[in-house]
Amino acid sequence: MKSKIEQLKKDALHLLEKVTDRDNLEVLKTELLGRKGKLNDLMKEMAGLADDERKVIGQVVNELKVSVENAFGEKERSMFHVEELNRAEKEWIDITAPGKFPASGHLHPVTEAIAEIQQTFEKIGFSASRIPEIDWDYYVFEALNMPGDHPARDDWETFFVDEAEGSKGKLVLTPHTSNSQVRIMELQKPPIRMVNINRTYRRQSDTTHVSMFHQFEGLVIDRDITIVQLKGVIDYFAKTYFGPTRQTRLRPHHFRFTEPSFEIDISCGVCNGDASVACRLCKAGWLELGGAGMVHPNVLKAGGLDPEEFSGFAFGWGVERVLMMREGMNIDDMRVLYKNDLRFVKQF
Ligand code: DAH
């Protein structure tokens, strides 16, 4: 019996050594130490032995049990340790590694230009107004000194809304932001210092025109407003938006709603306003910015103001145009701004 015990011990330790996973370890444990296991079989066999022999063998079997149990304990601990090491290796993360930034877009260059233009004027006391971009013929033309079938209206290739007509004429997709002039006079009394930036619409599409674009309209009305202040504001805008070396000049022009009227030119950023060089961008050192002038007495009257008491100036320029005129922009076709081509937009 003793040799049987010895053999069992040898076999047990040998099998235990070969086990590599927990499932097989459990199986082996029940085979040896379980209720119906080999050790219990030995115990049962002992029942048939004589008293003194049973005593001796009993001790040996007990020792066997303890050493097998210990061996199992040892094996379990070392398996657990290896498992922990593997898990630590698999689940390891570098908590000091920099995070991954989610992809984020940015504002469209035209949206940025609108915000910048608005802030530029707000700094000198203009307040931003949002006047309707679809408005009555009255505010768009009539109140701006362009009655009924006046040929000046032909300058604006206008979209009309067919269905709607009211006491102020047809509804118009505003072809310029000048409708804000009489609108704001109806809303507030002088002093008025307003900038209205809005979408405008015309039947046009080429490299320097799109059918939906933006204008910003400035209007100042108070007592004793003269061309001097107009020139000051234009200079301020040119130097702030385009750069401190830029000059402006007023060129006589004609608009029905201003008298006198001007085209505003700004010195070219490429040749620095040098008329003697052949510049790829400008004509003789100057670039055209847009229209301006002293508010016509009839427009003041339409806004309920006495032209003897109040005077004012106005200007209306294209957002896309000033954006494209900015140094280094290099946009030679305005339509690309609205093509939704990310390769273009991402450059800004
Ligand atoms: N509304 C004119 C246009 O779109 C531009 C303009 C000219 C606006 C003179 C003004 C102005 O306020 O005084 O062509």
Side-chain angles (χ1 to χ4, degrees), residues 156 175-176 178 181 202 215 217-218 255 257-258 291-293 314-316:
W156 289 269
H176 59 177
S178 301
Q181 295 190 16
R202 290 187 197 179
Q215 282 193 342
E217 187 87 10
F255 293 104
F257 38 94
T258 40
F315 54 88

Side-chain angles (χ1 to χ4, degrees), residues 227-293:
I227 297 175
V228 175
Q229 283 113 356
L230 169 62
K231 177 78 163 84
V233 167
I234 289 169
D235 274 348
Y236 160 79
F237 177 75
K239 288 184 197 306
T240 311
Y241 191 77
F242 293 105
T245 59
R246 307 303 274 275
Q247 309 283 317
T248 64
R249 72 175 183 189
L250 311 187
R251 206 159 24 84
H253 199 76
H254 175 74
F255 293 104
R256 285 285 295 179
F257 38 94
T258 40
E259 182 57 37
S261 301
F262 310 101
E263 275 292 339
I264 309 297
D265 291 338
I266 166 170
S267 63
C268 175
V270 170
C271 65
N272 243 330
D274 185 351
S276 67
V277 301
C279 179
R280 63 177 165 82
L281 192 66
C282 70
K283 280 182 245 152
W286 296 94
L287 294 162
E288 246 179 65
L289 193 59

Side-chain angles (χ1 to χ4, degrees), residues 94-112:
D94 181 0
I95 55 163
T96 65
K100 283 186 192 139
F101 282 98
S104 68
H106 62 76
L107 295 176
H108 189 276
V110 172
T111 310
E112 280 175 347

Side-chain angles (χ1 to χ4, degrees), residues 165-210:
E165 190 156 353
S167 61
K168 288 180 171 169
K170 283 189 165 183
L171 264 189
V172 177
L173 304 192
T174 54
H176 59 177
T177 43
S178 301
N179 63 317
S180 57
Q181 295 190 16
V182 170
R183 279 262 183 199
I184 200 80
M185 288 181 226
E186 286 181 355
L187 289 171
Q188 68 184 79
K189 293 289 147 228
I192 292 172
R193 268 183 247 120
M194 166 212 84
V195 60
N196 169 51
I197 310 182
N198 220 332
R199 275 182 286 267
T200 41
Y201 305 85
R202 290 187 197 179
R203 296 169 188 273
Q204 56 184 16
S205 174
D206 58 42
T207 54
T208 51
H209 298 93
V210 285

